[in-house]
């Protein structure tokens, strides 16, 4: 049976367009893109007549020997063949031809997420969430197979016009149970999307992929890279020490993104709970709640701070004593982190949404001020922020109890101050009504829990520590300032205490740039 003229013309055009044929079967028709490891071609499988993507990989100069390189390629094919998920690009074949190796894959004709955001700017929340759901599905399939992708980024996510998503380039994925195949000490992955533990030199984990997905969804929702700086070194420093603010994403989407961007992998939101948040955020037409508001606060006043770094000011001494003029400073130094630090990932009912009902390291929350567990208290206005008395019900905390952490042994160290009312203005703070002890406790415990699990606390010290929160009593909340230039004391305080009956020596926190 002869082809009709249209078919003949089409066949002739394809034959003319083919640059070369690989392994006698795959005709390379046009270049689709190229990177450091090679070129991706649109190809045609001439045996069965379907179009495919052909990734041509060449040995990088000085990266490794040919045998190791070939093993990496074979591993990519094995990886692709083990995964079965609609959001994973299917690998069909691998062939060697000349000095190059070719991976034959499903052809996905769609822009990458990077292209999409470059063209359209920040995407709607429900669209970002739907993309996140599908990528998360692909990652979960990979993780169940013992595979870590290691390079989740917008350029490796393809988004079709109908909303279908494909995660590609498992070429540097590594099976968790395989011996590591090195690449001459080269750090594999894209720096701007690399999880903190990988920057620190640790092995890639399933949780590392979740962190990269969080950075990717941040980019899609905000239209900018969360940690990109002018140099690679500055970018890596930002990943290790900073938490990017969210301006556009709110509600479940913001909670999912910030939960995935939690610095400590053990405290990072699990995939199942991230999926639940993304599913909630993926419903179009459903109003997404704004940034979480601290008890008694105003969402508008806190929006610019949501997701900000849970950072203690360098001199956390100013305190809430009723007659102490430094009381106003307490709110000022805490304002930079604002109560919205509610926080890295968000919480429901006052607990980190992805964490245990009660954190094992959390000691009992206490109240301070008139009628509280610590009724008589003062916070020294100097740079001292360790105390030489146990924090317990019935104890007093006087100015003389504050000591330099490095000068003498102590019973507790202040590591976070968080205003429970956003500081849009002094009059707004003064007018804020008492939200109730339960809500204040929930806010304080969530704030202290999240900060305790960040790099604010020295990693090697954390196992020997517990933490507790102090919240103002209702009487203290409603107390009129002693000075017209003062503000009411409406802050929660977080302290580190020894896990056993001993005392602390030196500081157990570190500064975060």
């Amino acid at each position: 049976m002869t082809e009709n003229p249209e078919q003949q013309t089409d066949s002739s055009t394809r034959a003319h367009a083919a640059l070369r044929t690989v392994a006698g079967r795959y005709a390379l028709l046009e270049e689709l893109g190229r990177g450091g490891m090679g070129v991706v071609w649109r190809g045609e499988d001439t045996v069965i007549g379907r179009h495919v993507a052909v990734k041509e990989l060449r040995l990088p100069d000085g990266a490794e020997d040919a045998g190791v390189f070939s093993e990496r390629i074979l591993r990519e094919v094995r990886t692709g063949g083990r995964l079965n998920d609609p959001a994973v690009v299917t690998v069909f074949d691998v062939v060697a031809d000349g000095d190059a190796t070719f991976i034959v894959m499903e052809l996905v004709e769609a822009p990458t997420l990077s292209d999409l955001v470059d063209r359209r700017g920040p995407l709607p929340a429900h669209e970002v969430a739907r993309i996140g759901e599908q990528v998360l599905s692909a990652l979960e399939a990979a993780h169940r197979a013992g595979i870590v992708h290691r390079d989740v980024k917008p350029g490796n996510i393809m988004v079709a016009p109908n909303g279908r998503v494909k995660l590609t380039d498992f070429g540097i994925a590594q099976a968790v149970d395989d011996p590591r195949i090195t690449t001459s000490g080269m750090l594999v992955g894209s720096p701007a999307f690399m999880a903190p533990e990988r920057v620190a030199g640790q092995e890639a984990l399933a949780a590392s992929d979740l962190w990269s997905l969080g950075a990717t969804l941040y980019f899609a929702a905000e239209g900018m890279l969360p940690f990109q700086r002018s140099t690679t070194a500055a970018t890596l420093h930002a990943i290790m020490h900073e938490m990017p603010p969210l301006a556009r994403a709110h509600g479940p989407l913001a909670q999912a993104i910030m939960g995935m961007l939690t610095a400590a992998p053990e405290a990072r939101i699990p995939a199942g709970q991230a999926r639940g948040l993304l599913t909630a955020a993926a419903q179009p037409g459903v109003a997404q709640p704004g940034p979480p508001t601290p008890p008694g606060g105003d969402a508008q006043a806190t929006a610019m701070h949501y997701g900000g770094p849970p950072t203690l000011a360098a001199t956390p001494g100013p305190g809430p004593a009723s007659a102490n003029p430094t009381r106003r400073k307490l709110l000022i130094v805490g304002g930079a982190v604002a109560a919205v630090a509610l926080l890295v990932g968000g919480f429901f009912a006052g607990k980190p949404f992805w964490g245990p009902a009660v954190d094992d390291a959390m000691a009992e929350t206490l109240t301070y001020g008139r009628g509280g567990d610590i009724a008589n208290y003062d916070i020294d206005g100097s740079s001292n922020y360790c105390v030489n008395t146990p924090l317990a019900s019935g104890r007093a905390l006087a100015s003389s109890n504050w000591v330099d952490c490095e000068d003498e042994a102590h019973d507790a160290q202040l590591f976070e101050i968080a205003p429970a009312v956003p500081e849009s203005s002094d009059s707004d703070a003064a007018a804020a009504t008492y939200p109730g002890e339960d809500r204040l406790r929930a806010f304080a415990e969530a704030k202290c829990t999240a900060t305790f699990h960040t790099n604010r606390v020295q990693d090697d010290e954390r196992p020997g520590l517990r933490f507790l929160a102090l919240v103002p009593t209702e009487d203290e909340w409603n107390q009129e300032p002693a000075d017209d230039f003062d503000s009411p004391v409406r802050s929660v305080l977080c302290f580190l205490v020894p896990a056993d009956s001993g005392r602390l020596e030196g500081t157990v926190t570190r500064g975060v740039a």
Side-chain angles (χ1 to χ4, degrees):
M1 180 177 176
T2 57
E3 295 175 321
N4 64 37
E6 260 186 26
Q7 291 173 321
Q8 290 176 340
T9 300
D10 185 51
S11 298
S12 171
T13 300
R14 287 202 304 268
H16 180 72
L19 300 178
R20 67 183 191 271
T21 300
V22 174
R25 176 170 180 172
Y26 303 106
L28 305 184
L29 304 179
E30 64 175 317
E31 182 180 321
L32 296 178
R34 67 173 56 226
M37 291 292 289
V39 183
V40 179
W41 304 91
R42 177 196 299 275
E44 182 184 6
D45 183 343
T46 57
V47 173
I48 60 178
R50 71 177 167 193
H51 278 206
V52 292
V54 182
K55 183 191 294 185
E56 178 183 5
L57 297 175
R58 294 183 178 275
L59 177 64
D61 292 338
E64 54 199 347
D65 62 36
V68 175
F69 183 70
S70 297
E71 175 59 27
R72 292 183 64 220
I73 304 308
L74 291 174
R75 185 179 62 198
E76 175 171 4
V77 177
R78 289 196 298 267
T79 297
R82 290 164 61 184
L83 301 181
N84 181 23
D85 186 90
V88 174
V89 171
T90 304
V91 177
F92 298 134
D93 197 5
V94 58
V95 296
D97 192 302
D99 59 353
T101 302
F102 296 83
I103 308 256
V104 183
M105 302 174 292
E106 172 187 6
L107 177 64
V108 181
E109 299 194 83
T112 66
L113 180 58
S114 181
D115 295 333
L116 210 58
V117 174
D118 285 347
R119 186 165 67 240
R120 293 172 47 191
L123 305 181
H126 71 273
E127 191 173 344
V128 174
R130 286 181 174 176
I131 291 169
E133 279 186 291
Q134 295 176 71
V135 176
L136 187 57
S137 174
L139 290 176
E140 287 182 290
H143 297 162
R144 284 192 298 269
I147 296 163
V148 180
H149 187 284
R150 304 178 78 207
D151 198 21
V152 178
K153 62 182 180 181
N156 279 339
I157 297 170
M158 308 187 81
V159 185
N162 64 0
R164 291 293 299 274
V165 168
K166 291 282 187 179
L167 176 61
T168 188
D169 201 358
F170 275 86
I172 60 173
Q174 177 177 330
V176 172
D177 56 358
D178 277 355
R180 184 170 188 182
I181 301 176
T182 63
T183 56
S184 301
M186 182 173 62
L187 191 60
V188 179
S190 303
F193 297 93
M194 192 173 292
E197 62 271 17
R198 295 200 56 218
V199 174
Q202 301 172 24
E203 289 293 326
L205 309 167
S208 307
D209 282 346
L210 294 182
W211 194 95
S212 299
L213 176 58
T216 295
L217 297 184
Y218 181 103
F219 169 76
E222 300 291 321
M224 65 181 69
L225 296 172
F227 299 100
Q228 185 69 53
R229 302 294 185 266
S230 58
T231 66
T232 299
T235 296
L236 298 180
H237 182 274
I239 288 170
M240 294 295 291
H241 300 295
E242 298 177 20
M243 178 61 72
L246 283 168
R248 300 176 58 89
H250 305 307
L253 178 60
Q255 291 160 2
I257 291 173
M258 301 311 280
M260 286 187 277
L261 289 178
T262 298
E266 65 273 12
R268 204 164 292 155
I269 186 171
Q273 293 182 10
R275 185 174 60 253
L277 289 168
L278 292 173
T279 298
Q283 307 306 314
V286 177
Q288 297 294 323
T293 306
D298 170 29
Q300 284 301 108
T302 65
M304 71 179 69
H305 299 295
Y306 178 57
T311 306
L312 180 65
T315 55
S322 59
N324 190 341
T326 61
R327 139 200 316 267
R328 179 177 174 83
K329 296 179 186 175
L330 176 65
L331 291 176
I332 294 174
V333 299
V337 297
V340 289
L342 265 167
L343 67 30
V344 182
F347 69 93
F348 293 119
K351 298 293 191 296
F353 184 66
W354 58 91
V358 177
D359 193 298
D360 291 340
M362 184 189 296
E364 181 183 3
T365 298
L366 302 173
T367 55
Y368 71 83
R370 292 183 298 181
D373 298 313
I374 301 177
N376 300 311
Y377 75 97
D378 193 3
I379 293 186
D380 182 30
S382 72
S383 61
N384 298 330
Y385 54 102
C386 288
V387 295
N388 63 4
T389 183
L391 298 177
S393 181
R395 290 275 186 168
L397 184 57
S399 178
S400 60
N401 293 126
W402 290 88
V403 298
D404 189 304
C405 301
E406 300 294 345
D407 285 351
E408 61 181 271
H410 43 277
D411 297 276
Q413 178 175 343
L414 180 66
F415 72 103
E416 183 67 283
I417 299 172
V421 180
E423 285 195 279
S424 54
S425 70
D426 288 343
S427 60
D428 288 345
T433 58
Y434 180 68
E437 186 176 323
D438 287 346
R439 293 195 69 197
L440 266 179
R441 283 176 177 267
F443 166 66
E445 290 170 4
K447 175 62 182 167
C448 296
T449 297
T451 306
F452 178 77
H453 288 289
T454 68
N455 59 351
R456 163 62 55 190
V457 180
Q458 294 181 26
D459 294 339
D460 57 343
E461 298 283 359
R462 190 179 293 112
L465 298 172
R466 300 186 74 196
F467 65 93
L468 62 85
L470 265 63
V471 301
T473 63
E474 183 172 7
D475 281 349
E476 184 61 33
W477 181 283
N478 292 323
Q479 180 176 298
E480 290 295 327
D483 192 301
D484 289 340
F485 295 99
D486 252 349
S487 296
V489 178
R490 279 130 188 217
S491 295
V492 302
L493 314 176
C494 304
F495 283 88
L496 296 167
V497 297
D500 53 26
S501 57
R503 306 187 81 194
L504 300 177
E505 299 280 352
T507 182
V508 291
T509 65
R510 58 185 174 191
V512 176

